[in-house]
Structures are given as structure tokens and as C-alpha cells.
Amino acid sequence: MNITIHALTKTFKHKSMPITEVLKNVNLTISQGELVAIQGKSGAGKTTLLNIIGCLDIPSSGQYWIDEQDILSLSNSTRAKLRNQRFGFIMQDYALINDETVMDNIILPAVFAKTPILKAKERANILLARFNLEHLSAKRISALSGGEKQRVAIIRALMNDPDCILADEPTGALDSKNSHEIMKVFIELNNIGKTIIVVTHDDTIANMCNRIVRIADGIVE
Ligand SMILES: Nc1ncnc2c1ncn2[C@@H]1O[C@H](COP(=O)(O)OP(=O)(O)O)[C@@H](O)[C@H]1O
Ligand SMILES: [Mg+2]
């Protein structure tokens, strides 16, 4: 997918607090098949931008297009459907459900997409095999190591075969060996045409991407 963002702003309003203008004027295009790193200081608005790109949130003003489609003119439910079908998220802390099994976590995006459960499990098993995690299918998330949780989060993001994968500091809690493993997976996915956008403060990881986008003072430098 081709992503086009123009004059985007995002302001958070608190009742008694001053208004926080997080994104002030973001202009950004990301083409189909790019592998992009987003960098910037803590609080710069990286997660806010990623959430808007992934249709989890909407901006306060500006324009957002995916291919020829004006995303902000869509209804909330259409946008939610688009998010579920076309984006795979790997959240900052993975956001896995600890008390549930690996299988139940992985099939969640397919369940939201109303995929028949047997079909969802079939695809989950293929992905588990690809990542050498078949043996963990019935284990609870709480019993996994950090590296295993990370691979489960990647598999869940791939469940609906998205065009674009959004990863928010996916290597933040990992040692450098596991960080390189996840980047190897992203590069493989990128090689089969997926657009990958990864927020990272690790320069080694950022330098493995095709392009680095820096956010500071509410704009893309
Ligand atoms: N839902 C929210 N309500 C109010 N303020 C928020 C909200 N989300 C983020 N912010 C504020 O916006 C700023 C940018 O946050 P964020 O996008 O998470 O930054 P980053 O990911 O670059 O660290 C921070 O000051 C944060 O406190
Ligand atoms: Mg963040």
C-alpha cells in the first residue's frame, strides 16, 4: 500500500491541563514495499503517528490517504475493517493476553475478521511451524520467554496477511541477538513485498531499514 500523509496534526485535550499539540504538521509518504524506521525522542509522538497510520486513531486535522482512498472520510466501522484486514500491529509491550494460550492469542485478528475458527487455526498452525513454535501452541503466554512472546506477537500480526506491518519498539525489551532475529524476520517479510514501519531508538536496527524518518517538535524532519 502507498501511504500519503499531508499536514497532519494531533492534539490531546485534557480537562484542566493545557492542550498538548503532539503532531504539528506531519508530511510523509511511504511507498508499497518500503522498510522504514521511525525515530525520535521519548514523547515525540512516534506511537501517536503509528496509531494514526494503522487506523487505531484519527488525527485532529490533515489528510491521510492509502492508495486512492481518503481514510479520514471513511466511517469508523469501515476504518476498523480496513485496519483489521490491511495492518498487522506489534505493540510496544506486545499486548498479548497472558492467561490465554498461544493459539487463542494468535487467532484473535482472524476471529475479529469473522474467519471460521477451523480455517483460522489452520493458518495459525502454518505460521507457528514457519517460526518453529508448533510445540508452544497450547501453552499460556505467561509461560513463554521474551523471545518466544515476541515471535507470537509477530505471528498474530501476520494472521490476516496484512499489507503493512507496524511495530512499536519491538526490540525495546530484548537483547541484541533477539533484536537482530526480529529484524531478520522483518527483512524477510519486506522481501515478499510487505511494507514495514518500525519505531525504534536503536540506531543499529534503524540502519537495517531502507529509510529513517525522524520526528521532532511535532514534524517529520
Ligand atoms: N491518549 C492520550 N491522551 C493524552 N496525551 C497523550 C495521549 N497519548 C499520547 N499523549 C501524549 O502525547 C505525547 C506523545 O506521546 P507518544 O506518541 O506516545 O510519544 P512516543 O511514542 O514518541 O514516546 C506525550 O506527551 C504523551 O503524553
Ligand atoms: Mg511510544
Side-chain angles (χ1 to χ4, degrees):
M1 61 170 72
N2 294 297
I3 288 168
T4 310
I5 280 170
H6 180 67
L8 195 93
T9 76
K10 182 68 179 180
T11 303
F12 291 109
K13 296 184 185 76
H14 303 272
K15 278 192 182 117
S16 56
M17 303 255 286
I19 289 170
T20 324
E21 203 180 7
V22 179
L23 302 176
K24 289 178 185 157
N25 180 17
V26 171
N27 296 292
L28 180 64
T29 58
I30 296 176
S31 303
Q32 167 74 42
E34 275 201 89
L35 171 55
V36 179
I38 297 182
Q39 294 203 291
K41 287 188 187 143
S42 175
K46 304 180 296 295
T47 297
T48 302
L49 179 61
L50 209 66
N51 288 345
I52 292 171
I53 292 173
C55 301
L56 275 177
D57 199 359
I58 53 168
S60 304
S61 68
Q63 285 157 4
Y64 177 21
W65 298 75
I66 294 176
D67 300 324
E68 306 305 311
Q69 195 159 42
D70 178 356
I71 298 307
L72 303 177
S73 72
L74 301 176
S75 68
N76 288 342
S77 65
T78 307
R79 204 161 35 239
K81 202 175 275 175
L82 185 148
R83 169 177 74 222
N84 180 246
Q85 289 171 349
R86 303 199 60 188
F87 288 97
F89 278 91
I90 300 163
M91 305 281 191
Q92 197 150 5
D93 49 6
Y94 305 141
L96 297 166
I97 305 166
N98 263 318
D99 295 336
E100 289 190 4
T101 64
V102 166
M103 177 59 80
D104 286 343
N105 270 270
I106 289 173
I107 62 172
L108 213 56
V111 170
F112 282 138
K114 300 194 166 67
T115 307
I117 198 88
L118 281 176
K119 221 174 155 200
K121 287 190 172 175
E122 205 176 294
R123 173 154 172 84
N125 281 322
I126 292 168
L127 289 168
L128 281 163
R130 194 195 290 172
F131 286 86
N132 296 319
L133 291 181
E134 307 103 306
H135 59 294
L136 296 182
S137 174
K139 278 213 172 169
R140 286 179 201 284
I141 298 296
S142 51
L144 305 186
S145 73
E148 288 166 346
K149 282 182 195 171
Q150 176 191 54
R151 278 182 284 162
V152 171
I154 296 173
I155 293 173
R156 186 181 57 179
L158 294 175
M159 192 61 204
N160 290 346
D161 195 23
D163 303 321
C164 178
I165 291 160
L166 303 171
D168 198 353
E169 310 219 12
T171 65
L174 296 167
D175 54 36
S176 64
K177 181 175 169 283
N178 275 310
S179 299
H180 279 86
E181 285 301 315
I182 196 174
M183 279 312 290
K184 264 170 61 187
V185 172
F186 287 165
I187 289 166
E188 269 169 38
L189 291 167
N190 183 241
N191 284 340
I192 59 165
K194 308 280 184 202
T195 304
I196 318 264
I197 306 176
V198 48
V199 171
T200 182
H201 48 234
D202 184 330
D203 291 338
T204 316
I205 297 295
N207 286 326
M208 292 169 83
C209 297
N210 309 140
R211 176 156 69 112
I212 301 176
V213 165
R214 289 198 172 79
I215 308 182
D217 301 320
I219 63 164
V220 165
E221 289 176 334

